[in-house]
Amino acid sequence: MHPIDWLIVFGYLAYIVWDGLRRTRGREGVEGYFLANRSMPWWVVGLSVMATQMSAITLVGTTGQGASDGMRFVQFYFGLPLAMLILSVTLVPFFHRAKVYTAYEFLERRFDPKTRSMTSGLFLLSRGMAVGVVISAPAVILSATLGLSFPLAVALIGVPAVAYTVFGGVEAVQWVDVKQMVLIVGGLGALLVMLFAGIPGDVGVGNALRLAGETGRLDTFDFSFSLTETYTFWSGVIGGLFLMLSYFGTDQSQVQRYLTARSLDDARSSLFMSAYWKIPLQAMVLLIGVLVFVYYLFSAPPLLFNTEHEAAVRAGAAAEYQAIDARYDAAFRERRAAALDFARARDAGDDALADRMADRFLTRNEEMEAVRGDALGLAERTTGQNPRDVNYIIPAFVLSELPIAIPGLFIAAVLAAAMSSIAAELNSLSTATIIDFYRRHLRPAATDAHYLNASRAATALWGVFACGIALYAVSLGSLIEVVNRFGSFFYGSILGVFMLAMIPRARPLGAFVGLIAGMLTVGLVDWRTDIAFLWLNVVGAFAVVAVGMLLSLLQRGGEDTPTALEAAGIDA
Amino acid sequence: MSAGRPPDAPYGPEPRPRRSTRSLYARVLIVQALTLIALWLLQQTFGGG
């Protein structure tokens, strides 16, 4: 990268740390540290919720997915607006009125301490490991793309985020998130404008989008009802609804955002911001990928976007790689010629010729994809690693094709996206550790100052743990995969416990046993069937409710168990 | 119009909502429908794979 780009990156990092640290003043108590004294305006909370979800992998991986697979991934989010509506009339008012610090604290009031400890413990286990991946995944890409050492890339992402989270608490995290979101959305918008402007004048936007459409990249909707297909309209609307209900309603990294809101109305409005903007934003991210595909119709793309792997293959299998590269170059020239002929035929109004050119274009495109598949196979055989080349498409494009200052802004936006997710997760991990375990079980009667110091120490320890996991993530690969897979087993199940909490007749034993039964059911379904993962959330939630209600109905006594309204202190 | 209590005040009564909750919900559904229609039009106009 050019020195000006580096200046932009380091200038931004310095600004973010300074801005986060200056929020340290005036927030002395533990409620200030974890919940900003429940004083945040809705728009800050809303932007923070969106920044937390917008990870670095969204910026580089999802755009890459748009380039290679098109728009259909956006269906994953179709259940989100409805989830926000449901949460705003169910869990959000209960959490807000109960004045809890964690979502799991509410479960103790409604059920018992062991249900709270188990759900909170499951959150700590899965998020603790996942936050390491949130650091390592972009660090791997940045180190390969920028030529940095891997530990330095981890430090670039982890150290600023840990610094402002430890000292500034949730208020620093959320105000910094506002700046991060401005940079991320601004960066994406600039990229979109440059990509549209970069479409050759003799082709035009309409023809360029037609070419992308011919390859199926603009096909957003798949109405087929298949339980094994990952991204369809129905898996997004139904499976996605349950996933989003679980994520926004029961995951402390999200719940804590809107617990800081100064009123119930502000909490609801903050969630509606995601309901309005998440799908358009995600569509924009994917469209950027589609336009990068269009860009490379007229400008020769590299055979492998992962430069580290390309160098390894050039060194280890030079002759074979050169032969594939020559085939790729020939296929590219023919595809470009077909694309230009297609555009000319359409501009001349010759539909029959345009149809023939479209067929020729598609044949050449398939040839190119087949040759690229050969190159990816060679890279995997040579390096012994999955190239994950799709994650390198956008960074390679930005760094090699765009003018000075834009790469710096893009890398700063990737760092911003990574930091905003990490900061929120560290903050919520620390909250669950201190509130659900340390204060609940170990030191129930210490001073507020003691808890504040313990909270800062817990945030720092989680930060060190996350960076440690990130450094060893490559060698811990399979273990992390197991933990993440395990995490997907209980997402729907935890939602099931909160659904039970809303049912007056549900009892503590039913909730606890139902949670275990739900996770076992999901594990069994995943093991014995090919059902797509979004549907596992539905299975888990309903298994918990079914087992939990059955036990509750069979159980004698327990009439003194508080209802959700009583647990939240709401007069019925 | 300020909707919240002063930052460090003890918990007081819930402030009056800025606008009716029902109109907020309707707006969410309308925006969702418009977004899906826009994506559908993009697919219908340029798609064909």
Side-chain angles (χ1 to χ4, degrees):
Chain A
M1 265 198 328
H2 192 275
I4 290 176
D5 290 311
W6 281 113
L7 198 66
I8 290 171
V9 171
F10 283 108
Y12 179 70
L13 287 176
Y15 167 69
I16 283 301
V17 174
W18 170 77
D19 187 57
L21 294 182
R22 78 195 172 97
R23 307 265 169 203
T24 312
R25 290 185 292 253
R27 292 287 174 217
E28 262 83 42
V30 76
E31 188 169 22
Y33 187 74
F34 283 141
L35 297 178
N37 291 324
R38 305 180 203 263
S39 65
M40 303 297 275
W42 67 272
W43 59 274
V44 174
V45 180
L47 286 171
S48 181
V49 165
M50 295 190 74
T52 302
Q53 298 163 63
M54 179 70 84
S55 72
I57 288 299
T58 312
L59 278 194
V60 292
T62 309
T63 42
Q65 196 165 357
S68 65
D69 191 42
M71 301 287 291
R72 66 196 183 104
F73 176 65
V74 77
Q75 295 175 111
F76 183 82
Y77 295 95
F78 281 177
L80 187 145
L82 193 56
M84 296 311 200
L85 283 184
I86 294 171
L87 289 174
S88 72
V89 291
T90 53
L91 290 176
V92 176
F94 285 99
F95 292 155
H96 184 78
R97 294 299 295 271
K99 302 292 176 204
V100 288
Y101 280 76
T102 72
Y104 320 111
E105 195 181 347
F106 178 72
L107 288 180
E108 175 168 0
R109 296 192 195 175
R110 172 67 179 87
F111 294 125
D112 57 8
K114 63 178 183 299
T115 304
R116 170 189 184 175
S117 299
M118 187 164 178
T119 46
S120 185
L122 288 171
F123 165 75
L124 291 178
L125 178 68
S126 67
R127 282 287 152 191
M129 296 299 267
V131 73
V133 180
V134 173
I135 300 176
S136 79
V140 167
I141 295 166
L142 288 184
S143 71
T145 314
L146 301 176
L148 304 173
S149 72
F150 182 62
L152 180 61
V154 168
L156 261 183
I157 296 169
V159 171
V162 173
Y164 74 74
T165 312
V166 167
F167 293 105
V170 77
E171 190 164 348
V173 170
Q174 299 202 140
W175 279 108
V176 169
D177 279 351
V178 172
K179 279 95 178 179
Q180 313 268 41
M181 268 310 275
V182 170
L183 178 67
I184 293 167
V185 176
L188 288 172
L191 207 51
L192 192 68
V193 170
M194 296 192 83
L195 281 161
F196 270 119
I199 292 173
D202 54 343
V203 176
V205 173
N207 288 329
L209 289 177
R210 276 262 175 210
L211 286 163
E214 288 293 335
T215 66
R217 281 176 172 75
L218 294 178
D219 290 352
T220 303
F221 296 87
D222 176 356
F223 289 108
S224 63
F225 192 91
S226 163
L227 292 177
T228 53
E229 191 72 36
T230 308
Y231 304 122
T232 67
F233 180 82
W234 302 111
S235 74
V237 170
I238 303 169
L241 169 69
F242 278 76
L243 177 66
M244 299 303 168
L245 282 173
S246 185
Y247 182 54
F248 289 97
T250 76
D251 189 306
Q252 181 63 18
S253 67
Q254 288 297 325
V255 172
Q256 194 166 350
R257 309 294 104 218
Y258 55 79
L259 287 179
T260 64
R262 59 188 173 188
S263 70
L264 177 55
D265 192 38
D266 281 71
R268 281 183 176 137
S269 298
S270 70
L271 286 181
F272 289 157
M273 187 186 276
S274 285
Y276 291 138
W277 291 110
K278 184 65 187 175
I279 296 176
L281 194 60
Q282 211 61 34
M284 180 168 95
V285 168
L286 289 164
L287 186 62
I288 285 171
V290 172
L291 290 174
V292 169
F293 166 78
V294 167
Y295 177 88
Y296 281 128
L297 292 179
F298 306 103
S299 178
L303 181 50
L304 291 176
F305 288 91
N306 182 340
T307 46
E308 249 180 16
H309 278 213
E310 196 208 12
V313 178
R314 277 191 192 283
E320 199 176 343
Y321 189 74
Q322 271 179 7
I324 297 176
D325 202 17
R327 279 167 54 211
Y328 194 63
D329 191 47
F332 163 71
R333 285 170 198 282
E334 289 181 15
R335 185 181 72 172
R336 182 173 60 183
L340 289 170
D341 287 345
F342 171 81
R344 282 188 209 108
R346 274 184 51 81
D347 288 343
D350 189 341
D351 289 343
L353 181 62
D355 285 347
R356 284 206 306 282
M357 290 304 112
D359 288 342
R360 205 175 85 190
F361 165 74
L362 280 177
T363 310
R364 302 302 179 219
N365 188 54
E366 280 163 20
E367 272 172 30
M368 265 190 91
E369 282 176 4
V371 177
R372 198 167 125 74
D374 291 345
L376 292 172
L378 178 64
E380 191 158 2
R381 286 198 303 282
T382 311
T383 62
Q385 294 168 356
N386 182 336
R388 298 189 196 284
D389 207 59
V390 71
N391 291 334
Y392 294 82
I393 296 176
I394 304 302
F397 164 76
V398 171
L399 291 175
S400 62
E401 307 292 330
L402 297 184
I404 292 172
I406 301 294
L409 273 176
F410 178 78
I411 297 297
V414 171
L415 293 173
M419 287 190 290
S420 58
S421 304
I422 295 157
E425 302 210 345
L426 292 180
N427 189 243
S428 58
L429 285 165
S430 166
T431 310
T433 307
I434 296 299
I435 302 295
D436 289 335
F437 291 97
Y438 186 73
R439 194 173 78 171
R440 175 66 184 82
H441 298 294
L442 298 175
R443 289 286 299 272
T447 61
D448 203 43
H450 173 84
Y451 290 129
L452 182 60
N453 288 332
S455 305
R456 290 210 164 107
T459 311
L461 283 175
W462 277 114
V464 171
F465 176 78
C467 289
I469 290 281
L471 283 174
Y472 292 99
V474 180
S475 48
L476 287 173
S478 58
L479 174 66
I480 288 173
E481 221 163 81
V482 168
V483 172
N484 279 339
R485 196 162 182 75
F486 179 59
S488 72
F489 285 0
F490 60 72
Y491 239 144
S493 304
I494 290 181
L495 175 65
V497 178
F498 281 89
M499 284 162 72
L500 273 179
M502 298 291 124
I503 303 172
R505 184 69 181 80
R507 299 281 181 261
L509 182 69
F512 188 74
V513 176
L515 175 59
I516 295 169
M519 289 188 291
L520 291 175
T521 307
V522 172
L524 193 69
V525 169
D526 186 57
W527 178 44
R528 301 299 297 176
T529 68
D530 291 330
I531 194 168
F533 82 96
L534 274 174
W535 293 104
L536 293 178
N537 298 294
V538 186
V539 171
F542 280 110
V544 172
V545 172
V547 174
M549 279 316 294
L550 187 69
L551 277 178
S552 299
L553 291 170
L554 291 174
Q555 190 184 351
R556 290 178 188 281
E559 283 78 14
D560 55 342
T561 306
T563 63
L565 286 170
E566 289 162 352
I570 300 171
D571 297 328
Chain B
M1 184 173 79
S2 171
R5 59 178 170 272
D8 292 314
Y11 308 129
E14 204 41 60
R16 224 158 57 86
R18 274 192 301 277
R19 40 184 119 79
S20 105
T21 315
R22 206 174 291 174
S23 78
L24 267 175
Y25 297 161
R27 203 181 302 185
V28 169
L29 292 176
I30 291 168
V31 172
Q32 157 88 333
L34 290 176
T35 308
L36 295 189
I37 289 169
L39 288 169
W40 174 252
L41 285 176
L42 185 71
Q43 176 171 328
Q44 289 304 301
T45 311
F46 299 108

